[in-house]
Amino acid sequence: MRKILFVALFVMIVIVQNFCGAATIEEARFNGDEKLVYPVVHMADVEIEKKINSKIQEELSSFIKGIHYAAQYENHKVLDARTSYEVACNGAGNTVILSIVMTESRYFEGAAHPATWQHTLNFNMSSGNRMGLDYLTDVGEGVSVEELKSRLERKLREHAERKGLYLFSDALPLKNLPENFYWDSNLHVHFIFQHYEVAPYAAGIIDVDIDA
């Protein structure tokens, strides 16, 4: 019977700090590896701190497990694996939002290029709960999915024209909103398109600010 390797997180804290209201975000390294970094949130409310950090660690664990699985069961030799992150923190009314964009990249022997993607984690700092697309529609901006799509399609076209990017012929109209979005420090909403989602690999990961 095959056994999947489960990865434990061994934290090495590096003194690189960001501040989000009453929270401090420090950089940690997985097993001391300077290429595998992720944020650790410190708060006075220990329960909220645990909720947020557990979701961050789940994201990192999923990435590491995927690498081990590919190496163990698919005979892919890993030449490089790395992570990085960006943090934005701001207030929307009485809600303090922490947005984290995790960039994860792995490069296997024989691959034409690294596989890189970005995943986002948005948290309500008062509760530690994840904030999904329903916050933009039902709770937050109070706009419909169709209105968000329309705004995103317009901004994606503008972004592609400005950057000289080729979009796939079937990229627009959008069938669904991208699952990864975040708020920047100015409370602008960004949607992220992964490699090959709407454009060739050379276009890179496309980050579209719908409030610009």
Side-chain angles (χ1 to χ4, degrees):
M1 180 182 295
R2 288 182 172 179
K3 296 181 179 179
I4 297 176
L5 176 63
F6 289 92
V7 181
L9 291 177
F10 297 94
V11 179
M12 176 179 177
I13 297 294
V14 181
I15 307 301
V16 177
Q17 297 182 338
N18 293 280
F19 298 93
C20 180
T24 301
I25 297 94
E26 291 184 319
E27 182 174 293
R29 295 174 180 172
F30 175 77
N31 281 353
D33 190 333
E34 62 182 13
K35 292 183 179 180
L36 298 174
V37 298
Y38 62 99
V40 175
V41 177
H42 299 285
M43 299 180 64
D45 191 314
V46 177
E47 292 306 312
I48 294 177
E49 175 186 299
K50 286 180 179 179
K51 285 176 70 174
I52 294 174
N53 285 326
S54 68
K55 294 300 181 183
I56 295 171
Q57 291 176 1
E58 282 177 17
E59 176 63 36
L60 182 67
S61 290
S62 178
F63 173 64
I64 301 296
K65 288 175 185 177
I67 292 172
H68 282 283
Y69 186 93
Q72 187 171 358
Y73 299 121
E74 298 172 356
N75 296 318
H76 290 314
K77 182 179 179 181
V78 182
L79 300 181
D80 187 64
R82 61 185 64 225
T83 62
S84 61
Y85 66 90
E86 294 183 18
V87 173
C89 185
N90 48 64
N94 295 324
T95 303
V96 178
I97 302 170
L98 170 65
S99 287
I100 300 171
V101 180
M102 292 286 295
T103 301
E104 301 164 359
S105 180
R106 63 187 189 186
Y107 185 30
F108 292 127
E109 186 176 50
H113 47 66
T116 304
W117 55 91
Q118 289 184 332
H119 290 167
T120 60
L121 301 165
N122 301 297
F123 297 102
N124 182 327
M125 297 296 283
S126 298
S127 64
N129 294 332
R130 290 279 300 272
M131 300 171 71
L133 283 170
D134 58 339
Y135 186 86
L136 292 177
T137 54
D138 300 337
V139 181
E141 295 194 353
V143 296
S144 68
V145 171
E146 291 307 312
E147 184 178 344
L148 282 173
K149 279 185 187 177
S150 178
R151 287 168 60 183
L152 179 54
E153 287 170 0
R154 184 175 69 254
K155 290 297 182 179
L156 176 58
R157 287 191 185 96
E158 293 174 0
H159 179 88
E161 291 173 2
R162 186 168 61 252
K163 299 288 187 179
L165 303 179
Y166 167 79
L167 297 179
F168 293 140
S169 59
D170 61 349
L172 298 172
L174 295 171
K175 298 175 181 64
N176 299 292
L177 288 170
E179 65 180 33
N180 286 287
F181 78 98
Y182 68 96
W183 286 270
D184 68 18
S185 57
N186 295 314
L187 263 184
H188 287 200
V189 175
H190 294 241
F191 282 92
I192 293 174
F193 294 93
Q194 310 294 347
H195 284 123
Y196 299 116
E197 192 169 353
V198 293
Y201 180 87
I205 296 173
I206 300 175
D207 182 317
V208 179
D209 180 350
I210 68 170
D211 294 314

Short mmCIF file of all heavy atoms in Angstrom, two decimals, residues 151-169 171-172 174 193 198-200 202-209:
data_model
loop_
_atom_site.label_atom_id
_atom_site.label_comp_id
_atom_site.label_asym_id
_atom_site.label_seq_id
_atom_site.Cartn_x
_atom_site.Cartn_y
_atom_site.Cartn_z
N ARG A 151 -16.81 44.24 -14.58
CA ARG A 151 -15.72 45.14 -14.21
C ARG A 151 -14.37 44.47 -14.47
O ARG A 151 -13.44 45.08 -14.99
CB ARG A 151 -15.83 45.54 -12.74
CG ARG A 151 -16.94 46.53 -12.44
CD ARG A 151 -17.20 46.67 -10.96
NE ARG A 151 -16.05 47.14 -10.22
CZ ARG A 151 -16.04 47.28 -8.89
NH1 ARG A 151 -17.12 46.97 -8.18
NH2 ARG A 151 -14.97 47.71 -8.27
N LEU A 152 -14.28 43.18 -14.09
CA LEU A 152 -13.02 42.45 -14.26
C LEU A 152 -12.69 42.27 -15.74
O LEU A 152 -11.52 42.41 -16.13
CB LEU A 152 -13.11 41.10 -13.55
CG LEU A 152 -11.88 40.19 -13.64
CD1 LEU A 152 -10.62 40.91 -13.16
CD2 LEU A 152 -12.11 38.92 -12.82
N GLU A 153 -13.68 41.95 -16.56
CA GLU A 153 -13.43 41.79 -17.99
C GLU A 153 -12.91 43.08 -18.61
O GLU A 153 -11.96 43.06 -19.40
CB GLU A 153 -14.72 41.35 -18.69
CG GLU A 153 -15.10 39.91 -18.41
CD GLU A 153 -16.49 39.56 -18.91
OE1 GLU A 153 -17.16 40.47 -19.49
OE2 GLU A 153 -16.92 38.41 -18.74
N ARG A 154 -13.52 44.19 -18.22
CA ARG A 154 -13.08 45.49 -18.76
C ARG A 154 -11.64 45.79 -18.34
O ARG A 154 -10.81 46.21 -19.15
CB ARG A 154 -14.01 46.60 -18.27
CG ARG A 154 -13.69 47.97 -18.87
CD ARG A 154 -14.70 49.01 -18.48
NE ARG A 154 -14.65 49.36 -17.07
CZ ARG A 154 -15.54 48.97 -16.16
NH1 ARG A 154 -16.58 48.22 -16.51
NH2 ARG A 154 -15.43 49.34 -14.89
N LYS A 155 -11.34 45.56 -17.07
CA LYS A 155 -9.99 45.84 -16.57
C LYS A 155 -8.96 44.86 -17.14
O LYS A 155 -7.80 45.24 -17.36
CB LYS A 155 -9.97 45.80 -15.05
CG LYS A 155 -10.73 46.95 -14.39
CD LYS A 155 -10.11 48.29 -14.72
CE LYS A 155 -10.81 49.44 -14.03
NZ LYS A 155 -10.17 50.75 -14.34
N LEU A 156 -9.37 43.62 -17.38
CA LEU A 156 -8.46 42.64 -17.98
C LEU A 156 -8.10 43.06 -19.40
O LEU A 156 -6.92 42.97 -19.80
CB LEU A 156 -9.08 41.25 -17.96
CG LEU A 156 -8.29 40.13 -18.65
CD1 LEU A 156 -6.90 39.99 -18.03
CD2 LEU A 156 -9.05 38.81 -18.58
N ARG A 157 -9.08 43.51 -20.17
CA ARG A 157 -8.81 43.98 -21.53
C ARG A 157 -7.84 45.17 -21.49
O ARG A 157 -6.88 45.23 -22.26
CB ARG A 157 -10.11 44.41 -22.21
CG ARG A 157 -11.01 43.27 -22.63
CD ARG A 157 -12.12 43.77 -23.53
NE ARG A 157 -13.08 42.72 -23.86
CZ ARG A 157 -14.21 42.52 -23.21
NH1 ARG A 157 -14.53 43.30 -22.18
NH2 ARG A 157 -15.02 41.54 -23.57
N GLU A 158 -8.10 46.11 -20.59
CA GLU A 158 -7.24 47.28 -20.47
C GLU A 158 -5.82 46.88 -20.08
O GLU A 158 -4.84 47.41 -20.61
CB GLU A 158 -7.81 48.26 -19.43
CG GLU A 158 -9.12 48.91 -19.83
CD GLU A 158 -9.72 49.75 -18.72
OE1 GLU A 158 -9.10 49.82 -17.62
OE2 GLU A 158 -10.80 50.32 -18.92
N HIS A 159 -5.71 45.93 -19.14
CA HIS A 159 -4.40 45.45 -18.69
C HIS A 159 -3.65 44.81 -19.84
O HIS A 159 -2.45 45.07 -20.04
CB HIS A 159 -4.59 44.45 -17.55
CG HIS A 159 -3.33 43.86 -17.01
ND1 HIS A 159 -2.60 44.45 -16.00
CD2 HIS A 159 -2.65 42.74 -17.36
CE1 HIS A 159 -1.53 43.71 -15.74
NE2 HIS A 159 -1.54 42.67 -16.55
N ALA A 160 -4.34 43.97 -20.62
CA ALA A 160 -3.70 43.28 -21.74
C ALA A 160 -3.24 44.27 -22.80
O ALA A 160 -2.13 44.14 -23.35
CB ALA A 160 -4.66 42.26 -22.34
N GLU A 161 -4.06 45.26 -23.10
CA GLU A 161 -3.68 46.27 -24.09
C GLU A 161 -2.49 47.09 -23.61
O GLU A 161 -1.57 47.37 -24.38
CB GLU A 161 -4.87 47.19 -24.38
CG GLU A 161 -6.00 46.50 -25.13
CD GLU A 161 -7.24 47.38 -25.26
OE1 GLU A 161 -7.18 48.54 -24.78
OE2 GLU A 161 -8.25 46.92 -25.81
N ARG A 162 -2.49 47.46 -22.35
CA ARG A 162 -1.41 48.27 -21.79
C ARG A 162 -0.09 47.51 -21.77
O ARG A 162 0.97 48.08 -22.05
CB ARG A 162 -1.78 48.72 -20.37
CG ARG A 162 -0.81 49.69 -19.74
CD ARG A 162 -1.39 50.30 -18.48
NE ARG A 162 -1.69 49.30 -17.45
CZ ARG A 162 -2.91 48.92 -17.10
NH1 ARG A 162 -3.97 49.45 -17.69
NH2 ARG A 162 -3.09 48.02 -16.15
N LYS A 163 -0.15 46.21 -21.46
CA LYS A 163 1.05 45.38 -21.36
C LYS A 163 1.42 44.70 -22.68
O LYS A 163 2.46 44.06 -22.77
CB LYS A 163 0.86 44.31 -20.29
CG LYS A 163 0.61 44.85 -18.88
CD LYS A 163 1.87 45.44 -18.28
CE LYS A 163 1.65 45.82 -16.83
NZ LYS A 163 2.87 46.37 -16.19
N GLY A 164 0.55 44.82 -23.69
CA GLY A 164 0.81 44.15 -24.96
C GLY A 164 0.68 42.64 -24.85
O GLY A 164 1.43 41.91 -25.51
N LEU A 165 -0.27 42.16 -24.05
CA LEU A 165 -0.44 40.72 -23.83
C LEU A 165 -1.49 40.15 -24.77
O LEU A 165 -2.50 40.79 -25.07
CB LEU A 165 -0.87 40.44 -22.39
CG LEU A 165 0.02 40.96 -21.26
CD1 LEU A 165 -0.58 40.62 -19.92
CD2 LEU A 165 1.43 40.39 -21.40
N TYR A 166 -1.23 38.93 -25.22
CA TYR A 166 -2.20 38.20 -26.03
C TYR A 166 -3.08 37.38 -25.11
O TYR A 166 -2.60 36.62 -24.27
CB TYR A 166 -1.48 37.28 -27.01
CG TYR A 166 -2.38 36.26 -27.67
CD1 TYR A 166 -3.20 36.63 -28.74
CD2 TYR A 166 -2.44 34.95 -27.20
CE1 TYR A 166 -4.05 35.71 -29.33
CE2 TYR A 166 -3.28 34.02 -27.79
CZ TYR A 166 -4.09 34.41 -28.85
OH TYR A 166 -4.93 33.50 -29.43
N LEU A 167 -4.41 37.54 -25.24
CA LEU A 167 -5.35 36.73 -24.49
C LEU A 167 -5.88 35.62 -25.38
O LEU A 167 -6.08 35.81 -26.59
CB LEU A 167 -6.52 37.59 -23.99
CG LEU A 167 -6.19 38.72 -23.02
CD1 LEU A 167 -7.46 39.49 -22.66
CD2 LEU A 167 -5.50 38.20 -21.77
N PHE A 168 -6.13 34.45 -24.80
CA PHE A 168 -6.71 33.35 -25.55
C PHE A 168 -8.05 33.79 -26.15
O PHE A 168 -8.78 34.61 -25.56
CB PHE A 168 -6.93 32.14 -24.66
CG PHE A 168 -5.65 31.49 -24.17
CD1 PHE A 168 -5.56 31.03 -22.86
CD2 PHE A 168 -4.56 31.35 -25.00
CE1 PHE A 168 -4.40 30.43 -22.41
CE2 PHE A 168 -3.38 30.75 -24.56
CZ PHE A 168 -3.30 30.29 -23.26
N SER A 169 -8.38 33.23 -27.29
CA SER A 169 -9.61 33.62 -27.99
C SER A 169 -10.87 33.35 -27.18
O SER A 169 -11.89 34.04 -27.33
CB SER A 169 -9.70 32.90 -29.35
OG SER A 169 -9.69 31.49 -29.16
N ALA A 171 -10.92 33.45 -23.82
CA ALA A 171 -10.72 33.96 -22.46
C ALA A 171 -11.91 34.81 -22.00
O ALA A 171 -12.30 34.77 -20.83
CB ALA A 171 -9.45 34.78 -22.39
N LEU A 172 -12.46 35.57 -22.93
CA LEU A 172 -13.58 36.45 -22.62
C LEU A 172 -14.78 36.09 -23.50
O LEU A 172 -14.60 35.75 -24.67
CB LEU A 172 -13.18 37.91 -22.84
CG LEU A 172 -12.04 38.42 -21.95
CD1 LEU A 172 -11.59 39.80 -22.38
CD2 LEU A 172 -12.48 38.44 -20.48
N LEU A 174 -15.70 35.97 -19.35
CA LEU A 174 -15.29 35.05 -18.29
C LEU A 174 -16.44 34.10 -17.93
O LEU A 174 -17.59 34.52 -17.83
CB LEU A 174 -14.89 35.84 -17.04
CG LEU A 174 -13.66 36.73 -17.15
CD1 LEU A 174 -13.53 37.59 -15.90
CD2 LEU A 174 -12.40 35.90 -17.36
N PHE A 193 -5.12 35.80 -12.20
CA PHE A 193 -5.23 34.75 -13.21
C PHE A 193 -3.91 34.00 -13.25
O PHE A 193 -2.85 34.60 -13.45
CB PHE A 193 -5.54 35.34 -14.58
CG PHE A 193 -6.88 36.01 -14.69
CD1 PHE A 193 -7.02 37.38 -14.46
CD2 PHE A 193 -8.01 35.27 -15.01
CE1 PHE A 193 -8.26 37.99 -14.54
CE2 PHE A 193 -9.26 35.87 -15.09
CZ PHE A 193 -9.38 37.25 -14.87
N VAL A 198 -5.88 32.53 -18.86
CA VAL A 198 -6.48 33.38 -19.90
C VAL A 198 -5.47 33.78 -20.96
O VAL A 198 -5.82 34.42 -21.95
CB VAL A 198 -7.11 34.66 -19.31
CG1 VAL A 198 -8.32 34.32 -18.44
CG2 VAL A 198 -6.08 35.47 -18.52
N ALA A 199 -4.19 33.41 -20.75
CA ALA A 199 -3.13 33.85 -21.67
C ALA A 199 -1.99 32.83 -21.65
O ALA A 199 -1.90 32.00 -20.73
CB ALA A 199 -2.60 35.22 -21.25
N PRO A 200 -1.09 32.87 -22.65
CA PRO A 200 0.05 31.95 -22.67
C PRO A 200 0.97 32.14 -21.47
O PRO A 200 0.92 33.17 -20.78
CB PRO A 200 0.77 32.32 -23.98
CG PRO A 200 -0.25 33.01 -24.80
CD PRO A 200 -1.14 33.73 -23.84
N ALA A 202 4.01 32.95 -21.25
CA ALA A 202 4.87 34.12 -21.33
C ALA A 202 4.22 35.37 -20.73
O ALA A 202 4.92 36.31 -20.34
CB ALA A 202 5.26 34.40 -22.78
N ALA A 203 2.90 35.38 -20.64
CA ALA A 203 2.20 36.53 -20.07
C ALA A 203 2.39 36.60 -18.56
O ALA A 203 2.16 37.65 -17.94
CB ALA A 203 0.72 36.47 -20.41
N GLY A 204 2.81 35.49 -17.97
CA GLY A 204 2.99 35.45 -16.51
C GLY A 204 1.68 35.34 -15.77
O GLY A 204 0.61 35.18 -16.36
N ILE A 205 1.78 35.42 -14.47
CA ILE A 205 0.57 35.48 -13.61
C ILE A 205 0.02 36.89 -13.73
O ILE A 205 0.74 37.87 -13.55
CB ILE A 205 0.92 35.13 -12.16
CG1 ILE A 205 1.41 33.68 -12.06
CG2 ILE A 205 -0.27 35.35 -11.26
CD1 ILE A 205 1.94 33.29 -10.71
N ILE A 206 -1.26 37.00 -14.05
CA ILE A 206 -1.87 38.30 -14.32
C ILE A 206 -2.66 38.77 -13.10
O ILE A 206 -3.57 38.08 -12.64
CB ILE A 206 -2.78 38.23 -15.56
CG1 ILE A 206 -1.93 37.82 -16.79
CG2 ILE A 206 -3.47 39.56 -15.80
CD1 ILE A 206 -2.77 37.62 -18.04
N ASP A 207 -2.31 39.92 -12.60
CA ASP A 207 -2.93 40.54 -11.44
C ASP A 207 -3.72 41.75 -11.93
O ASP A 207 -3.14 42.70 -12.45
CB ASP A 207 -1.84 40.95 -10.43
CG ASP A 207 -2.41 41.56 -9.15
OD1 ASP A 207 -3.34 42.37 -9.23
OD2 ASP A 207 -1.87 41.24 -8.07
N VAL A 208 -5.05 41.72 -11.75
CA VAL A 208 -5.89 42.79 -12.27
C VAL A 208 -6.57 43.52 -11.12
O VAL A 208 -7.29 42.93 -10.32
CB VAL A 208 -6.98 42.23 -13.22
CG1 VAL A 208 -7.88 43.36 -13.73
CG2 VAL A 208 -6.32 41.51 -14.40
N ASP A 209 -6.32 44.81 -11.03
CA ASP A 209 -6.93 45.69 -10.04
C ASP A 209 -8.23 46.23 -10.64
O ASP A 209 -8.20 47.04 -11.57
CB ASP A 209 -5.95 46.83 -9.71
CG ASP A 209 -6.48 47.81 -8.69
OD1 ASP A 209 -7.68 47.75 -8.35
OD2 ASP A 209 -5.68 48.66 -8.24
#
